[in-house]
């Protein structure tokens, strides 16, 4: 596929965080862009604000003639069902149709590609990496899986020599990439609806490593079953964080590299998992030739990513945090961060499970992770792309939680429940539409205060 020959690009599932970044890219380079999505969201509103038409009904008649021309590229997400009318129209009429991951691979293959893989931490690590490259003045493009608070976008185009991408293991998408420098942050069992077994997931990660360009580098968190440059916390890794202190919610530490020790580095995102994300991004950025001391200094000014340990309210006697965590390991990481940064406070969690299959596969782990909070408010399972699985419900999950302070609440009754909630820290977790409730909760809590 030669991008020069493409006049227009139509996206099926344009509201996805990765799809919308690609839509912004093609719009930026002057292509005609439009798309369909199932639901109107702030992401689709943002696309329409920059002149990209979006409609929300699966109807071929709503696609303008501009996008029925043979020189239209059609990009779709695997989350779109096979029976989708618009997808079938393009398939039946011989259009050039690509998955998002294929297009991302084509765009980035000739660049110095920095690709972040892992079952957790991709989005934050990629966003930190983009921030570091920006601070060093490098010409780069970034396709992010979340809205960076530094760029207020999930897409950055400051040049094409370097690229920053998330290497997503879902649907084996990351096998379309050709990284120069790659990173694996974690390899916990996930997406078992795709892979079936943890061993098959591992096999796919090994295939991804095989995609690294000759002479390229691989960073791996120490302890993972992969050979590469290691990173970790106080464990003797090649890139290592040591002597951690916390002052006013900021980490201060020494950063040990293979060649030097950089002292008194500052980083403002809570949680050891975020320290690891920052360290991985730092190590990868060093490979571009940026001075390590300059990169270490830039870590301190990283603002964050929306829905990644985002403080919505931060008062002396009350805190409200929003996070995308949707896997037991991620929930544990958020819990650790809150206990470390807000010791002695009562913590209430609102959790919306994401996918019936994931809830079924990790039910006992979810129950154990949620039980660690002082109070649990559980919402119904967000189905996303799935049909219900018999017996797999939030009520079933609630029964497994070994904590008496637990309750199943309908989303429509959530605000009323929160009004009566006496807690020091309230945290909303999940990858479904709970993020749409966060502004309402914040408004309600601000009004109550």
């Amino acid at each position: 596929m030669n991008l020069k020959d493409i006049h227009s690009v139509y996206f099926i599932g344009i509201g996805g965080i990765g799809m919308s970044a690609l839509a912004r890219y093609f719009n930026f380079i002057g292509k005609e862009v439009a798309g369909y999505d199932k639901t109107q969201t702030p992401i689709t509103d943002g696309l329409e604000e920059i002149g990209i038409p979006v409609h929300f009904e699966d109807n071929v008649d709503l696609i303008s003639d501009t996008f029925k021309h043979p020189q239209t590229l059609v990009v779709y997400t695997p989350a779109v069902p096979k029976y989708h009318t618009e997808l079938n129209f393009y398939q039946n009429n011989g259009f050039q149709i690509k998955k998002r991951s294929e297009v991302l691979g084509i765009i980035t293959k000739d660049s110095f590609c920095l690709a972040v893989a892992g079952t957790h931490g991709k989005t934050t690590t990629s966003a930190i990496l983009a921030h570091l490259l920006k601070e060093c003045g490098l010409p780069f493009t970034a396709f992010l899986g979340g809205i960076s608070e530094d760029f207020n976008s999930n897409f950055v185009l400051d040049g094409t020599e370097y690229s920053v991408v998330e290497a997503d293991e879902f649907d084996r998408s990351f096998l379309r990439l050709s990284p120069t420098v790659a990173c694996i942050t974690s390899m916990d069992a996930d997406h078992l609806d795709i892979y079936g077994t943890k061993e098959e997931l591992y096999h796919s990660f090994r295939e991804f490593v095989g995609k690294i360009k000759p002479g390229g580098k691989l960073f791996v968190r120490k302890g993972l079953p992969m050979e590469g440059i290691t990173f970790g916390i106080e464990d003797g890794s090649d890139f290592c964080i040591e002597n951690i202190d916390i002052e006013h919610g900021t980490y201060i530490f020494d950063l040990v590299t293979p060649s030097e020790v950089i002292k008194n580095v500052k980083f403002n995102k809570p949680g050891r998992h975020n320290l690891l994300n920052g360290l991985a991004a730092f190590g990868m950025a060093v490979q571009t030739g940026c001075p390590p001391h300059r990169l270490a200094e830039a870590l301190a000014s990283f603002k964050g990513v929306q829905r990644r340990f985002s403080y919505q309210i931060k008062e002396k006697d009350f805190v409200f945090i929003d996070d995308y965590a949707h896997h037991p390991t991620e929930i544990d990481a958020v819990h650790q961060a809150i206990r470390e940064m807000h010791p002695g406070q009562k913590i209430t969690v609102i959790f919306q499970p994401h996918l019936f299959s994931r809830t079924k596969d990790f039910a006992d782990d979810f129950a154990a992770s949620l039980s660690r909070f002082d109070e649990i408010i559980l919402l119904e399972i967000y189905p996303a792309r799935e049909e219900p699985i018999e017996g797999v419900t939030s009520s079933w999950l609630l029964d497994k939680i070994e904590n008496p302070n637990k309750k199943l609440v309908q989303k429509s009754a959530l605000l009323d429940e929160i009004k009566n909630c006496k807690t020091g820290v309230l945290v909303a977790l999940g990858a479904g539409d709970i993020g749409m409730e966060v502004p309402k909760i914040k408004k309600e809590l601000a009004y109550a205060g």
Side-chain angles (χ1 to χ4, degrees):
M1 183 182 85
N2 190 333
L3 294 182
K4 292 178 182 175
D5 298 332
I6 302 297
H7 288 181
S8 51
V9 189
Y10 188 78
F11 288 84
I12 302 177
I14 196 169
I17 193 74
M19 291 280 277
S20 63
L22 274 182
R24 286 176 177 274
Y25 168 79
F26 281 113
N27 181 69
F28 193 93
I29 64 172
K31 308 295 184 184
E32 292 285 339
V33 179
Y36 155 88
D37 206 89
K38 186 168 61 175
T39 310
Q40 183 177 357
T41 65
I43 290 176
T44 60
D45 291 344
L47 294 175
E48 292 186 289
E49 284 170 12
I50 61 170
I52 298 175
V54 182
H55 63 261
F56 304 96
E57 179 188 338
D58 178 15
N59 184 344
V60 175
D61 293 338
L62 297 178
I63 304 172
S64 79
D65 290 342
T66 302
F67 301 95
K68 293 176 180 175
H69 189 278
Q71 286 176 305
T72 294
L73 169 66
V74 180
V75 186
Y76 76 103
T77 170
V80 172
K82 290 182 171 57
Y83 56 79
H84 196 275
T85 306
E86 294 183 10
L87 181 60
N88 284 323
F89 164 78
Y90 284 114
Q91 286 173 333
N92 295 337
N93 286 281
F95 280 82
Q96 189 169 204
I97 303 174
K98 301 280 186 186
K99 286 185 181 179
R100 179 187 69 88
S101 55
E102 293 179 86
V103 178
L104 195 56
I106 292 165
I107 291 170
T108 61
K109 70 179 172 61
D110 293 328
S111 68
F112 186 109
C113 179
L114 300 124
V116 182
T119 44
H120 325 292
K122 289 186 295 292
T123 297
T124 301
T125 304
S126 301
I128 298 169
L129 187 49
H131 169 70
L132 296 181
L133 298 193
K134 176 73 172 179
E135 290 297 296
C136 272
L138 294 183
F140 75 99
T141 305
F143 299 91
L144 306 174
I147 305 298
S148 160
E149 292 175 359
D150 294 272
F151 300 103
N152 197 31
S153 180
N154 57 337
F155 169 66
V156 186
L157 183 50
D158 276 355
T160 57
E161 187 177 336
Y162 297 88
S163 60
V164 176
V165 297
E166 288 189 33
D168 190 0
E169 75 280 0
F170 173 70
D171 198 40
R172 298 178 171 83
S173 293
F174 58 0
L175 301 183
R176 305 284 185 179
L177 299 172
S178 307
T180 311
V181 177
C183 171
I184 300 177
T185 62
S186 50
M187 288 168 53
D188 291 311
D190 199 7
H191 301 303
L192 298 185
D193 55 324
I194 302 291
Y195 289 101
T197 66
K198 186 174 182 176
E199 289 69 31
E200 186 60 28
L201 176 71
Y202 276 25
H203 176 71
S204 198
F205 272 99
R206 291 188 187 96
E207 277 191 78
F208 167 69
V209 171
K211 301 290 182 181
I212 296 173
K213 292 172 183 172
K217 302 280 180 66
L218 172 66
F219 283 78
V220 294
R221 183 168 59 80
K222 189 164 186 177
L224 293 179
M226 291 281 184
E227 291 294 322
I229 302 167
T230 58
F231 64 95
I233 297 175
E234 295 175 339
D235 60 3
S237 297
D238 298 318
F239 284 80
C240 194
I241 286 174
E242 294 183 351
N243 302 320
I244 301 170
D245 281 326
I246 299 173
E247 291 184 10
H248 310 295
T250 295
Y251 287 117
I252 301 174
F253 54 88
D254 295 342
L255 204 165
V256 181
T257 80
S259 58
E260 63 182 319
V261 178
I262 306 172
K263 291 188 172 294
N264 298 318
V265 178
K266 294 182 179 180
F267 190 67
N268 294 306
K269 295 306 292 181
R272 299 296 172 108
H273 63 300
N274 278 320
L275 277 179
L276 287 167
N277 293 337
L279 180 61
F282 170 87
M284 295 177 78
V286 167
Q287 309 309 307
T288 67
C290 280
H293 282 264
R294 188 172 177 185
L295 292 170
E297 191 175 313
L299 283 172
S301 57
F302 173 68
K303 293 178 183 175
V305 181
Q306 289 180 16
R307 301 220 62 229
R308 301 312 193 274
F309 210 97
S310 298
Y311 281 105
Q312 300 297 311
I313 298 174
K314 194 176 185 182
E315 305 290 348
K316 186 178 180 182
D317 56 352
F318 178 72
V319 168
F320 174 37
I321 298 163
D322 174 33
D323 196 278
Y324 191 71
H326 57 283
H327 184 282
T329 302
E330 296 167 347
I331 296 172
D332 289 341
V334 171
H335 179 264
Q336 179 275 324
I338 296 174
R339 294 287 185 203
E340 185 173 60
M341 291 296 174
H342 304 282
Q345 293 285 347
K346 178 185 176 183
I347 308 172
T348 299
V349 63
I350 307 163
F351 179 58
Q352 182 189 51
H354 183 261
L355 298 178
F356 295 102
S357 60
R358 183 181 282 124
T359 305
K360 174 175 173 286
D361 290 336
F362 304 110
D364 291 339
D365 294 328
F366 275 123
S369 296
L370 292 169
S371 295
R372 296 188 177 103
F373 293 88
D374 299 306
E375 186 175 18
I376 303 103
I377 298 171
L378 193 63
L379 302 181
E380 297 291 355
I381 298 169
Y382 184 79
R385 57 187 178 269
E386 293 186 337
E387 295 298 320
I389 298 173
E390 188 175 350
V392 178
T393 65
S394 284
S395 180
W396 170 69
L397 176 58
L398 189 76
D399 288 342
K400 290 177 173 288
I401 297 173
E402 294 183 1
N403 184 326
N405 302 312
K406 60 182 180 179
K407 186 180 289 189
L408 179 61
V409 174
Q410 297 302 310
K411 197 167 62 175
S412 58
L414 182 58
L415 289 183
D416 286 334
E417 183 66 34
I418 287 166
K419 284 180 195 174
N420 303 314
C421 179
K422 303 297 181 186
T423 192
V425 179
L426 180 67
V427 56
L429 303 181
D433 60 2
I434 188 172
M436 305 287 282
E437 301 300 309
V438 167
K440 302 175 195 173
I441 296 170
K442 181 178 179 179
K443 185 177 179 181
E444 181 60 45
L445 292 171
Y447 174 76

